[in-house]
Amino acid sequence: MPDCEMCGKKTQNLIRVRIEGAVMSVCDSCQHFGTPLETKKPAIIRQPQEVKPFVPTKREVQQIVKHTPTRPRKKEADIENLYVVEEFPRLIKEAREKMSWTQEDLAKRLMERKNVLSNIERGAFVPDIKFARKLEKILGISLIEDSS
Ligand SMILES: [Zn+2]
């Protein structure tokens, strides 16, 4: 039978506790000298998720400082001024055909359904900025303009 490291009593049921920074195995009657290991936070290696800090880029920092210091995300404000050019259906279709891709080929690259793309090429659906950015990147064209 192991000994309690605190009082030396032999016991079947040793409890690991932290006493003044040291981890000790103690008996039932000594465990109140320390704090149980289970409830102790696992050091400060990882921060709780909700305190994920906003880390702005250098440019964002400048903009935040210049405008409203309380506004945390300049990126979204940027997007407000952006719009997809009117001739996007033609631009997309031409660029796609230049690559000799079918609508399906392009849709796959975009990880979208084919009818989303065919609606866009018919002008029935205007892609949002995020989607337009994807199209720009994949097709090597320019679809977004800044109205500001
Ligand atoms: Zn003890």
Side-chain angles (χ1 to χ4, degrees), residues 4-9 11 14 25-31 33:
C4 165
E5 291 180 23
M6 199 76 184
C7 64
K9 199 175 88 182
T11 172
L14 279 180
S25 301
V26 297
C27 68
D28 273 342
S29 38
C30 292
Q31 66 164 303
F33 288 117

Side-chain angles (χ1 to χ4, degrees), residues 53-66 71-75 78:
F54 168 65
V55 185
T57 64
K58 213 170 176 183
R59 179 170 162 265
E60 281 171 327
V61 170
Q62 284 168 352
Q63 302 224 347
I64 290 165
V65 170
K66 204 161 59 185
R71 202 169 192 165
R73 298 171 58 144
K74 179 62 191 151
K75 238 177 174 170
D78 272 340

Side-chain angles (χ1 to χ4, degrees), residues 2 76 86 90 100 113:
E76 277 173 12
E86 237 174 88
R90 183 179 54 83
S100 347
R113 275 163 307 147

Side-chain angles (χ1 to χ4, degrees), residues 61-125:
V61 170
Q62 284 168 352
Q63 302 224 347
I64 290 165
V65 170
K66 204 161 59 185
H67 297 296
T68 43
T70 46
R71 202 169 192 165
R73 298 171 58 144
K74 179 62 191 151
K75 238 177 174 170
E76 277 173 12
D78 272 340
I79 283 175
E80 282 168 24
N81 293 325
L82 300 178
Y83 65 96
V84 177
V85 293
E86 237 174 88
E87 59 271 32
F88 72 87
R90 183 179 54 83
L91 291 173
I92 292 166
K93 187 163 187 282
E94 280 177 6
R96 175 177 62 74
E97 283 170 351
K98 218 161 124 192
M99 310 287 263
S100 347
W101 289 341
T102 62
Q103 283 189 344
E104 206 165 351
D105 290 334
L106 179 55
K108 260 186 208 157
R109 273 163 223 269
L110 291 162
M111 291 189 287
E112 283 291 336
R113 275 163 307 147
K114 184 188 155 226
N115 54 342
V116 173
L117 191 64
S118 71
N119 280 334
I120 288 173
E121 286 191 6
R122 278 188 293 114
F125 174 75

